Amino acid sequence: MIVLILNAGSSSLKYQVYNMTNESVLAKGLVERIGMDSSIVTHKSTGFEEVREVSEILDHVTAVRRVIDMLTNREYGVLKNINEIQAVGHRVVHGGEVFKESVLVTDAVKLEIRKLFDLAPLHNPAHMMGIVAVDSNLPNVPQVVVFDTAFHQTMDNVAYLYPIPTVLYRRHKVRRYGFHGTSHAYVSVHAAEHLQKPLEDLKMITCHIGNGASCTAIVGGKSVDTSMGMTPLEGLMMGTRSGDIDPAIVPYVMNKEELTMNEVNSMLNKHSGMLAISGNSSDMREITEAMQEGDKNAQLAFDMYVYRLVKYIGSYAAAMNGLDVLVFTAGVGENSAVVRKAVCEAITFFGIELDEQANAVRSGDIREISTANSKVKVLVVPTNEELLIARDTFRIVNELK
Ligand code: AMP
Protein backbone atom coordinates (compact mmCIF):
# COMPACT_ATOMS: atom_id res chain seq x y z
CA MET A 1 0.00 0.00 0.00
CA ILE A 2 1.25 3.50 -0.92
CA VAL A 3 0.54 6.01 1.85
CA LEU A 4 0.89 9.80 1.66
CA ILE A 5 1.69 11.51 4.97
CA LEU A 6 0.91 15.20 5.38
CA ASN A 7 1.80 17.74 8.03
CA ALA A 8 -0.08 20.90 7.14
CA GLY A 9 0.88 24.22 8.70
CA SER A 10 -0.87 27.55 8.11
CA SER A 11 1.42 28.43 5.19
CA SER A 12 3.31 25.17 4.68
CA LEU A 13 2.76 21.53 3.78
CA LYS A 14 5.31 18.84 4.61
CA TYR A 15 4.83 15.47 2.92
CA GLN A 16 6.27 11.99 2.70
CA VAL A 17 5.26 9.01 0.61
CA TYR A 18 5.74 5.51 1.98
CA ASN A 19 5.58 2.13 0.33
CA MET A 20 4.23 0.16 3.29
CA THR A 21 5.28 -3.20 1.83
CA ASN A 22 8.78 -2.49 3.12
CA GLU A 23 8.20 0.86 4.93
CA SER A 24 10.49 2.60 2.44
CA VAL A 25 10.27 6.34 1.73
CA LEU A 26 9.56 6.91 -1.98
CA ALA A 27 9.58 10.70 -1.85
CA LYS A 28 9.36 13.64 0.47
CA GLY A 29 9.15 17.38 0.30
CA LEU A 30 7.91 20.70 1.55
CA VAL A 31 5.65 23.40 0.15
CA GLU A 32 6.37 26.76 1.77
CA ARG A 33 4.83 30.23 1.62
CA ILE A 34 1.37 28.99 0.66
CA GLY A 35 -0.87 32.01 0.04
CA MET A 36 2.08 34.42 -0.20
CA ASP A 37 3.89 35.55 -3.30
CA SER A 38 6.51 33.15 -4.63
CA SER A 39 5.66 29.88 -2.91
CA ILE A 40 8.49 27.35 -2.88
CA VAL A 41 8.22 23.60 -3.43
CA THR A 42 11.19 21.45 -2.54
CA HIS A 43 10.74 17.84 -3.65
CA LYS A 44 13.01 14.81 -3.40
CA SER A 45 12.18 11.49 -4.97
CA THR A 46 14.37 8.70 -3.60
CA GLY A 47 17.19 8.09 -6.08
CA PHE A 48 16.74 11.44 -7.85
CA GLU A 49 18.18 14.92 -7.40
CA GLU A 50 16.21 17.39 -5.31
CA VAL A 51 13.84 19.59 -7.33
CA ARG A 52 13.06 23.19 -6.30
CA GLU A 53 10.26 25.18 -7.84
CA VAL A 54 9.05 28.71 -7.23
CA SER A 55 5.46 29.37 -8.23
CA GLU A 56 2.21 30.82 -7.00
CA ILE A 57 0.32 28.50 -4.66
CA LEU A 58 -2.68 30.28 -3.25
CA ASP A 59 -4.11 27.65 -0.93
CA HIS A 60 -3.72 24.13 0.43
CA VAL A 61 -5.92 22.62 -2.30
CA THR A 62 -3.45 23.86 -4.93
CA ALA A 63 -0.52 22.76 -2.73
CA VAL A 64 -1.79 19.16 -2.59
CA ARG A 65 -2.36 19.25 -6.37
CA ARG A 66 1.27 20.36 -6.86
CA VAL A 67 2.47 17.56 -4.60
CA ILE A 68 0.51 15.02 -6.66
CA ASP A 69 1.96 16.53 -9.88
CA MET A 70 5.46 16.05 -8.54
CA LEU A 71 4.77 12.52 -7.37
CA THR A 72 3.50 11.58 -10.83
CA ASN A 73 6.03 13.65 -12.81
CA ARG A 74 7.27 11.76 -15.90
CA GLU A 75 10.91 12.47 -15.22
CA TYR A 76 11.39 12.09 -11.47
CA GLY A 77 7.96 10.96 -10.25
CA VAL A 78 7.66 7.85 -8.08
CA LEU A 79 4.06 7.01 -9.00
CA LYS A 80 2.67 6.18 -12.44
CA ASN A 81 -0.75 7.31 -11.50
CA ILE A 82 -2.49 9.25 -8.74
CA ASN A 83 -4.70 6.20 -8.04
CA GLU A 84 -1.69 4.45 -6.54
CA ILE A 85 -2.14 6.55 -3.37
CA GLN A 86 -4.38 4.34 -1.25
CA ALA A 87 -4.41 6.23 2.03
CA VAL A 88 -3.47 9.62 3.45
CA GLY A 89 -2.31 10.15 7.03
CA HIS A 90 -2.29 13.56 8.73
CA ARG A 91 -0.40 14.80 11.73
CA VAL A 92 -2.82 16.70 13.98
CA VAL A 93 -1.41 18.51 17.00
CA HIS A 94 -4.43 18.60 19.29
CA GLY A 95 -6.89 15.78 19.84
CA GLY A 96 -8.22 17.14 23.14
CA GLU A 97 -9.87 14.55 25.39
CA VAL A 98 -11.90 13.10 22.52
CA PHE A 99 -9.15 11.36 20.59
CA LYS A 100 -7.29 8.71 22.51
CA GLU A 101 -5.91 7.08 19.37
CA SER A 102 -5.56 7.59 15.64
CA VAL A 103 -8.85 7.45 13.70
CA LEU A 104 -10.30 7.37 10.21
CA VAL A 105 -11.51 10.80 9.07
CA THR A 106 -15.31 11.03 8.95
CA ASP A 107 -17.66 14.03 9.08
CA ALA A 108 -18.02 13.50 12.84
CA VAL A 109 -14.23 13.46 13.28
CA LYS A 110 -13.89 16.68 11.28
CA LEU A 111 -16.48 18.32 13.50
CA GLU A 112 -14.57 17.27 16.65
CA ILE A 113 -11.28 18.60 15.24
CA ARG A 114 -13.03 21.92 14.50
CA LYS A 115 -14.29 22.04 18.09
CA LEU A 116 -10.65 21.84 19.18
CA PHE A 117 -9.58 24.94 17.22
CA ASP A 118 -9.71 27.00 20.42
CA LEU A 119 -7.17 24.76 22.15
CA ALA A 120 -4.69 24.81 19.25
CA PRO A 121 -5.48 27.94 17.24
CA LEU A 122 -2.16 27.93 15.39
CA HIS A 123 -2.24 24.27 14.41
CA ASN A 124 -5.62 22.55 14.14
CA PRO A 125 -7.17 24.96 11.59
CA ALA A 126 -4.14 24.39 9.36
CA HIS A 127 -4.44 20.61 9.68
CA MET A 128 -8.10 20.91 8.71
CA MET A 129 -7.08 22.78 5.55
CA GLY A 130 -4.87 19.78 4.72
CA ILE A 131 -7.76 17.36 5.21
CA VAL A 132 -10.11 19.45 3.06
CA ALA A 133 -7.44 19.75 0.37
CA VAL A 134 -7.17 15.96 0.18
CA ASP A 135 -10.97 15.69 0.06
CA SER A 136 -10.98 17.80 -3.06
CA ASN A 137 -7.92 16.27 -4.78
CA LEU A 138 -8.33 12.61 -3.80
CA PRO A 139 -12.05 12.33 -2.97
CA ASN A 140 -12.14 8.54 -2.74
CA VAL A 141 -9.01 8.01 -0.70
CA PRO A 142 -9.47 7.23 3.02
CA GLN A 143 -7.74 9.62 5.42
CA VAL A 144 -6.45 8.99 8.94
CA VAL A 145 -5.59 11.53 11.63
CA VAL A 146 -2.81 10.90 14.14
CA PHE A 147 -2.73 13.19 17.18
CA ASP A 148 0.30 14.51 19.11
CA THR A 149 -1.78 14.41 22.29
CA ALA A 150 -3.34 10.92 21.96
CA PHE A 151 -0.50 8.92 23.54
CA HIS A 152 -0.83 10.98 26.75
CA GLN A 153 -4.54 10.30 27.17
CA THR A 154 -3.62 7.42 29.47
CA MET A 155 -2.54 9.93 32.16
CA ASP A 156 -4.47 9.80 35.40
CA ASN A 157 -6.33 12.91 36.63
CA VAL A 158 -3.72 13.19 39.40
CA ALA A 159 -1.22 14.02 36.66
CA TYR A 160 -3.37 15.91 34.17
CA LEU A 161 -5.34 18.26 36.43
CA TYR A 162 -3.96 21.61 37.53
CA PRO A 163 -4.63 22.70 41.12
CA ILE A 164 -6.83 25.64 40.05
CA PRO A 165 -10.65 26.02 40.26
CA THR A 166 -12.14 22.90 38.68
CA VAL A 167 -14.77 24.96 36.91
CA LEU A 168 -12.02 25.91 34.45
CA TYR A 169 -11.55 22.27 33.58
CA ARG A 170 -15.28 21.63 33.30
CA ARG A 171 -16.05 24.73 31.26
CA HIS A 172 -12.91 25.21 29.22
CA LYS A 173 -11.06 21.88 29.42
CA VAL A 174 -8.03 23.49 31.07
CA ARG A 175 -5.78 20.51 31.86
CA ARG A 176 -2.48 18.91 30.85
CA TYR A 177 -2.62 17.27 27.40
CA GLY A 178 1.05 16.83 26.55
CA PHE A 179 2.55 16.82 23.05
CA HIS A 180 5.16 14.97 20.93
CA GLY A 181 3.07 11.87 21.72
CA THR A 182 3.86 10.16 18.42
CA SER A 183 7.55 10.51 19.11
CA HIS A 184 7.38 9.34 22.75
CA ALA A 185 5.29 6.34 21.64
CA TYR A 186 7.63 5.48 18.76
CA VAL A 187 10.88 5.64 20.74
CA SER A 188 9.48 3.73 23.74
CA VAL A 189 8.44 0.80 21.54
CA HIS A 190 11.78 0.75 19.74
CA ALA A 191 13.78 1.06 22.97
CA ALA A 192 12.04 -2.02 24.43
CA GLU A 193 12.56 -3.93 21.18
CA HIS A 194 16.24 -3.03 21.16
CA LEU A 195 16.67 -4.19 24.75
CA GLN A 196 14.66 -7.34 23.94
CA LYS A 197 12.47 -6.73 26.96
CA PRO A 198 8.66 -6.58 27.08
CA LEU A 199 7.53 -2.95 27.10
CA GLU A 200 4.89 -3.95 29.69
CA ASP A 201 7.67 -4.60 32.25
CA LEU A 202 9.55 -1.31 31.86
CA LYS A 203 9.57 2.04 33.62
CA MET A 204 10.94 4.51 31.12
CA ILE A 205 11.63 8.21 30.72
CA THR A 206 11.77 9.44 27.14
CA CYS A 207 13.42 12.82 26.52
CA HIS A 208 12.35 14.32 23.20
CA ILE A 209 14.72 17.26 23.14
CA GLY A 210 14.79 19.28 19.94
CA ASN A 211 13.73 22.86 19.31
CA GLY A 212 10.65 22.02 21.31
CA ALA A 213 11.35 19.67 24.19
CA SER A 214 9.36 17.41 26.45
CA CYS A 215 9.96 14.37 28.57
CA THR A 216 7.49 11.63 29.42
CA ALA A 217 7.20 9.05 32.18
CA ILE A 218 6.09 5.76 30.67
CA VAL A 219 5.03 2.74 32.71
CA GLY A 220 4.36 -0.49 30.82
CA GLY A 221 4.15 1.40 27.51
CA LYS A 222 1.60 3.94 28.82
CA SER A 223 2.25 7.64 29.35
CA VAL A 224 1.68 8.45 33.04
CA ASP A 225 3.02 12.00 33.02
CA THR A 226 4.57 14.42 30.56
CA SER A 227 6.22 17.80 30.87
CA MET A 228 4.27 19.82 28.28
CA GLY A 229 0.89 20.93 29.52
CA MET A 230 -2.25 22.46 28.14
CA THR A 231 0.06 24.04 25.56
CA PRO A 232 3.62 23.18 24.46
CA LEU A 233 4.99 26.03 26.61
CA GLU A 234 5.14 24.17 29.92
CA GLY A 235 7.96 21.96 31.15
CA LEU A 236 11.57 21.90 30.02
CA MET A 237 13.63 24.90 28.99
CA MET A 238 13.61 24.96 25.17
CA GLY A 239 15.24 26.80 22.26
CA THR A 240 13.01 29.88 22.51
CA ARG A 241 10.34 28.76 25.02
CA SER A 242 10.68 29.33 28.74
CA GLY A 243 9.18 26.08 30.00
CA ASP A 244 8.14 26.22 33.69
CA ILE A 245 8.07 29.63 35.35
CA ASP A 246 6.12 31.07 38.28
CA PRO A 247 2.74 31.98 36.71
CA ALA A 248 2.63 35.16 38.81
CA ILE A 249 5.49 36.51 36.68
CA VAL A 250 3.00 37.02 33.83
CA PRO A 251 0.72 39.65 35.43
CA TYR A 252 3.71 41.23 37.21
CA VAL A 253 5.68 41.72 33.99
CA MET A 254 2.58 42.81 32.06
CA ASN A 255 2.08 45.52 34.63
CA LYS A 256 5.70 46.65 34.95
CA GLU A 257 6.52 46.61 31.22
CA GLU A 258 3.03 47.55 30.05
CA LEU A 259 2.81 44.48 27.86
CA THR A 260 -0.32 43.12 26.22
CA MET A 261 -1.35 39.48 26.52
CA ASN A 262 -0.07 38.81 22.99
CA GLU A 263 3.26 40.42 23.76
CA VAL A 264 3.84 38.42 26.92
CA ASN A 265 2.77 35.26 25.09
CA SER A 266 5.24 35.99 22.33
CA MET A 267 7.98 36.75 24.90
CA LEU A 268 7.53 33.37 26.58
CA ASN A 269 7.22 31.37 23.34
CA LYS A 270 9.67 33.10 21.02
CA HIS A 271 12.13 35.15 23.05
CA SER A 272 12.86 32.99 26.08
CA GLY A 273 14.61 29.69 26.77
CA MET A 274 18.20 29.25 25.58
CA LEU A 275 17.89 32.27 23.27
CA ALA A 276 17.14 34.58 26.19
CA ILE A 277 19.84 33.27 28.50
CA SER A 278 22.63 32.89 25.92
CA GLY A 279 21.72 36.24 24.43
CA ASN A 280 22.23 35.13 20.85
CA SER A 281 21.15 31.62 19.94
CA SER A 282 18.43 29.02 20.44
CA ASP A 283 20.49 26.38 18.65
CA MET A 284 22.24 23.82 20.86
CA ARG A 285 25.13 23.43 18.37
CA GLU A 286 25.91 27.16 18.55
CA ILE A 287 25.44 27.24 22.33
CA THR A 288 27.87 24.35 22.79
CA GLU A 289 30.45 25.91 20.47
CA ALA A 290 30.23 29.30 22.19
CA MET A 291 30.46 27.63 25.59
CA GLN A 292 33.61 25.77 24.55
CA GLU A 293 35.11 29.12 23.49
CA GLY A 294 34.49 30.46 27.01
CA ASP A 295 31.21 32.37 26.49
CA LYS A 296 29.73 32.63 29.99
CA ASN A 297 26.15 33.29 28.89
CA ALA A 298 26.20 30.26 26.62
CA GLN A 299 27.56 28.21 29.52
CA LEU A 300 24.74 29.41 31.76
CA ALA A 301 22.12 28.58 29.11
CA PHE A 302 23.58 25.09 28.76
CA ASP A 303 23.78 24.54 32.52
CA MET A 304 20.20 25.70 33.08
CA TYR A 305 18.97 23.49 30.20
CA VAL A 306 20.64 20.42 31.68
CA TYR A 307 19.67 21.27 35.27
CA ARG A 308 15.99 21.61 34.40
CA LEU A 309 16.01 18.38 32.43
CA VAL A 310 17.72 16.55 35.30
CA LYS A 311 15.05 17.84 37.73
CA TYR A 312 12.29 16.41 35.51
CA ILE A 313 14.04 13.07 35.19
CA GLY A 314 14.38 12.92 38.99
CA SER A 315 10.75 13.82 39.57
CA TYR A 316 9.50 11.25 37.05
CA ALA A 317 11.70 8.52 38.53
CA ALA A 318 10.06 9.36 41.87
CA ALA A 319 6.57 9.49 40.32
CA MET A 320 7.10 6.00 38.84
CA ASN A 321 8.96 4.77 41.93
CA GLY A 322 11.72 3.45 39.73
CA LEU A 323 13.47 3.77 36.40
CA ASP A 324 14.70 1.07 34.01
CA VAL A 325 15.36 2.96 30.80
CA LEU A 326 16.26 6.54 29.90
CA VAL A 327 15.85 7.45 26.23
CA PHE A 328 17.25 10.45 24.36
CA THR A 329 15.70 11.49 21.06
CA ALA A 330 15.14 14.42 18.61
CA GLY A 331 17.74 16.96 17.39
CA VAL A 332 19.59 17.53 20.67
CA GLY A 333 18.94 14.08 22.17
CA GLU A 334 20.14 12.23 19.07
CA ASN A 335 23.12 14.44 18.26
CA SER A 336 24.49 16.12 21.35
CA ALA A 337 26.88 13.80 23.20
CA VAL A 338 27.76 16.78 25.44
CA VAL A 339 24.17 17.22 26.66
CA ARG A 340 23.70 13.46 27.21
CA LYS A 341 26.95 13.27 29.16
CA ALA A 342 26.07 16.25 31.36
CA VAL A 343 22.63 14.80 32.13
CA CYS A 344 23.88 11.29 32.89
CA GLU A 345 26.74 12.55 35.05
CA ALA A 346 24.28 14.51 37.17
CA ILE A 347 22.19 11.45 38.05
CA THR A 348 24.74 8.74 38.80
CA PHE A 349 23.00 8.10 42.13
CA PHE A 350 20.23 6.33 40.15
CA GLY A 351 22.83 3.76 39.16
CA ILE A 352 23.38 5.26 35.72
CA GLU A 353 26.81 4.56 34.28
CA LEU A 354 27.52 6.18 30.94
CA ASP A 355 29.74 4.39 28.43
CA GLU A 356 31.66 7.47 27.30
CA GLN A 357 32.99 5.86 24.14
CA ALA A 358 29.58 4.67 23.02
CA ASN A 359 28.14 8.09 23.85
CA ALA A 360 30.73 9.85 21.68
CA VAL A 361 29.99 7.76 18.57
CA ARG A 362 28.01 9.68 15.95
CA SER A 363 25.43 7.46 14.35
CA GLY A 364 21.90 7.55 13.01
CA ASP A 365 21.11 4.17 14.53
CA ILE A 366 19.43 3.16 17.75
CA ARG A 367 22.13 2.46 20.34
CA GLU A 368 22.81 1.83 24.00
CA ILE A 369 25.17 4.35 25.63
CA SER A 370 25.25 2.95 29.19
CA THR A 371 27.76 0.37 30.42
CA ALA A 372 26.84 -3.28 30.94
CA ASN A 373 26.81 -2.61 34.72
CA SER A 374 24.51 0.39 34.56
CA LYS A 375 21.31 -0.25 36.56
CA VAL A 376 19.39 2.10 34.28
CA LYS A 377 19.81 1.49 30.56
CA VAL A 378 20.44 4.66 28.57
CA LEU A 379 19.55 4.63 24.87
CA VAL A 380 19.67 6.99 21.93
CA VAL A 381 16.67 6.26 19.72
CA PRO A 382 16.25 8.25 16.48
CA THR A 383 12.64 9.31 16.32
CA ASN A 384 10.48 8.93 13.22
CA GLU A 385 7.07 10.48 13.67
CA GLU A 386 6.19 10.18 9.96
CA LEU A 387 6.77 6.44 10.02
CA LEU A 388 4.50 6.02 13.04
CA ILE A 389 1.80 8.06 11.27
CA ALA A 390 2.27 5.89 8.17
CA ARG A 391 1.97 2.70 10.25
CA ASP A 392 -1.23 3.87 11.97
CA THR A 393 -2.69 4.98 8.64
CA PHE A 394 -1.83 1.65 7.00
CA ARG A 395 -3.29 -0.35 9.91
CA ILE A 396 -6.55 1.62 10.09
CA VAL A 397 -7.14 1.65 6.32
CA ASN A 398 -6.32 -2.07 6.12
CA GLU A 399 -8.98 -2.78 8.73
CA LEU A 400 -11.57 -1.27 6.34
CA LYS A 401 -10.99 -4.04 3.84
P1 AMP B 1 14.67 19.23 16.17
O1 AMP B 1 13.63 20.24 16.60
O2 AMP B 1 14.39 17.86 16.66
O3 AMP B 1 14.97 19.29 14.70
O4 AMP B 1 16.03 19.67 16.89
C1 AMP B 1 16.66 20.89 16.65
C2 AMP B 1 17.74 21.11 17.69
O5 AMP B 1 18.70 20.04 17.59
C3 AMP B 1 18.52 22.41 17.54
O6 AMP B 1 18.67 23.03 18.80
C4 AMP B 1 19.88 21.94 17.07
O7 AMP B 1 20.89 22.77 17.52
C5 AMP B 1 19.99 20.59 17.72
N1 AMP B 1 21.04 19.79 17.08
C6 AMP B 1 21.04 19.25 15.84
N2 AMP B 1 22.22 18.67 15.58
C7 AMP B 1 23.00 18.86 16.69
C8 AMP B 1 24.34 18.51 17.05
N3 AMP B 1 25.12 17.83 16.22
N4 AMP B 1 24.77 18.88 18.28
C9 AMP B 1 23.99 19.56 19.12
N5 AMP B 1 22.73 19.92 18.83
C10 AMP B 1 22.23 19.59 17.64
Side-chain angles (χ1 to χ4, degrees), residues 204 274 324 358:
M204 210 183 274
M274 289 201 291
D324 302 306

Side-chain angles (χ1 to χ4, degrees), residues 208-212 274 282-285 288 330-332 335-336 362:
H208 175 111
I209 44 176
N211 263 328
M274 289 201 291
S282 62
D283 188 305
M284 185 53 90
R285 266 169 303 203
T288 317
V332 176
N335 297 300
S336 177
R362 290 192 62 84

